[in-house]
Amino acid sequence: MAVIAFIGLGNMGSGMAVNLVKAGHSVRGFDLNNDVVNAFAAKGGKPAASVLEAVTGADAVVTMLPAAKHVRSVYEGDEGIIAQVRPDCVLMDCSTIDVDSARAVGEAAAKAGVKFVDAPVSGGVAAAEGGTLTFMVGGPEGAFEAAAPYLEKMGKAVIHAGDAGAGQAAKICNNMLLAIHMIGTCEAFVLAEKLGLDLQKFFDISSKASGQSWSMTSYCPVPGPVPAAPSNRDYKPGFAAPLMLKDLRLAMEAAGSVGAKLPLGAHSEALYTAFTEGDGADKDFSGIIRMIAEGQAK
């Protein structure tokens, strides 16, 4: 049994932390929201009153935070996690942030002689709760080997993507592709309906033909064909539209930094901006089908 500090018990972090508890570890959880800390404690976690209390003496630290500024603020500086943990502690940031920030934290950890990996996830809330996430991990081989046993308790796949920042690079490329796939899937269903096709019949055909994708077969944006999809819950988020927009903006920023021209990625960002600023702020990203169906997408 290891002592693990888990910082960030939001929609994703809470399920991940509980899976570490189920694996037999002693998990100290901290979040600025006391309600989620109390909910975590009710499931066997140990509440911590501060980041420092959580990480002191820990064997491992996992962070799941909203943005790069939060990640850097908790890791860096004299009061940061890197300066407070034991040299043999392994640090895992599962947030989705920009590549440069991930590399900066990795460099700070390396200078301090502490193992650190950037390990963003794919799979959404249901996968976080079910322990079936995919982890895309960036960092030195030794840090990856130290982190993998913990990540494996929270996911079905733990893949070493490369050096520091590579996990974040893989995540933003993957989610840009997901956004493009989802928009295309939504447009196909909208057209199918207008052409008089039964949507279940279209799903039965396309999910087994060359147009199939994860957005079709696992996360279908119309109610019915995939019972577990958010489309059957009025698009209550599994993966909220603002989070998809965040990832698309990270991808476009990264593209700009390396001179990559990504017309479909850029258009996806524009569409998700319109959706989020309209009725999609509290909806799943697959809910963009409503905007497309209403003819509001441009």
Side-chain angles (χ1 to χ4, degrees), residues 86-110:
R86 303 195 318 250
D88 60 344
C89 183
V90 59
L91 311 178
M92 297 160 272
D93 179 45
C94 298
S95 319
T96 298
I97 61 175
D98 63 280
V99 175
D100 288 343
S101 292
R103 287 174 176 163
V105 176
E107 290 171 3

Side-chain angles (χ1 to χ4, degrees), residues 277-298:
E277 291 177 351
D279 298 330
D282 61 348
K283 297 297 184 183
D284 186 81
F285 84 106
S286 61
I288 198 169
I289 191 169
R290 289 179 171 173
M291 186 179 82
I292 293 170
E294 292 167 1
Q296 298 176 8
K298 297 179 181 180

Side-chain angles (χ1 to χ4, degrees), residues 41-54:
K43 295 180 180 179
K46 300 182 183 303
S50 66
V51 172
L52 179 60
E53 181 179 315

Side-chain angles (χ1 to χ4, degrees):
M1 182 178 71
V3 175
I4 304 172
F6 203 108
I7 313 302
L9 298 170
N11 291 334
M12 293 292 291
S14 58
M16 294 165 66
V18 168
N19 281 320
L20 290 172
V21 173
K22 291 178 179 177
H25 296 300
S26 175
V27 186
R28 304 172 186 160
F30 173 76
D31 195 284
L32 294 176
N33 183 341
N34 288 329
D35 290 341
V36 298
V37 175
N38 293 334
F40 176 59
K43 295 180 180 179
K46 300 182 183 303
S50 66
V51 172
L52 179 60
E53 181 179 315
V55 305
T56 299
D59 300 300
V61 176
V62 182
T63 51
M64 186 54 126
L65 300 167
K69 63 181 181 180
H70 306 107
V71 173
R72 298 194 68 165
S73 69
V74 300
Y75 275 105
E76 298 177 340
D78 293 340
E79 303 299 320
I81 291 172
I82 292 170
Q84 301 300 324
V85 295
R86 303 195 318 250
D88 60 344
C89 183
V90 59
L91 311 178
M92 297 160 272
D93 179 45
C94 298
S95 319
T96 298
I97 61 175
D98 63 280
V99 175
D100 288 343
S101 292
R103 287 174 176 163
V105 176
E107 290 171 3
K111 288 179 181 178
V114 179
K115 295 182 177 67
F116 171 87
V117 295
D118 53 284
V121 305
S122 178
V125 174
E129 293 175 350
T132 59
L133 292 166
T134 293
F135 288 89
M136 298 155 266
V137 188
E141 184 67 34
F144 172 75
E145 292 176 354
Y150 300 106
L151 299 176
E152 287 167 356
K153 300 303 181 183
M154 300 182 285
K156 65 178 180 180
V158 179
I159 302 166
H160 192 196
D163 292 333
Q168 299 296 345
K171 173 65 184 286
I172 60 177
C173 291
N174 178 79
N175 278 21
M176 181 186 71
L177 184 59
L178 173 59
I180 293 168
H181 282 173
M182 181 55 75
I183 291 168
T185 301
C186 291
E187 289 189 351
F189 272 108
V190 168
L191 179 59
E193 184 172 39
K194 289 185 178 296
L195 292 173
L197 281 171
D198 177 84
L199 295 186
Q200 180 65 54
K201 292 293 185 183
F202 175 65
F203 173 85
D204 293 342
I205 293 166
S206 192
S207 64
K208 297 176 178 64
S210 57
Q212 69 86 23
S213 67
W214 186 89
S215 295
M216 168 76 71
T217 59
S218 297
Y219 218 78
C220 185
V222 298
V226 179
S231 54
N232 294 293
R233 305 188 304 276
D234 192 33
Y235 300 97
K236 179 180 178 182
F239 183 42
L243 294 179
M244 174 56 84
L245 179 58
K246 168 195 167 185
D247 291 355
L248 284 167
R249 286 174 172 166
L250 288 172
M252 292 304 101
E253 289 170 6
S257 71
V258 295
K261 303 299 182 183
L262 308 175
L264 290 181
H267 193 51
S268 296
E269 180 194 7
L271 289 173
Y272 273 102
T273 296
F275 179 52
T276 301
E277 291 177 351
D279 298 330
D282 61 348
K283 297 297 184 183
D284 186 81
F285 84 106
S286 61
I288 198 169
I289 191 169
R290 289 179 171 173
M291 186 179 82
I292 293 170
E294 292 167 1
Q296 298 176 8
K298 297 179 181 180

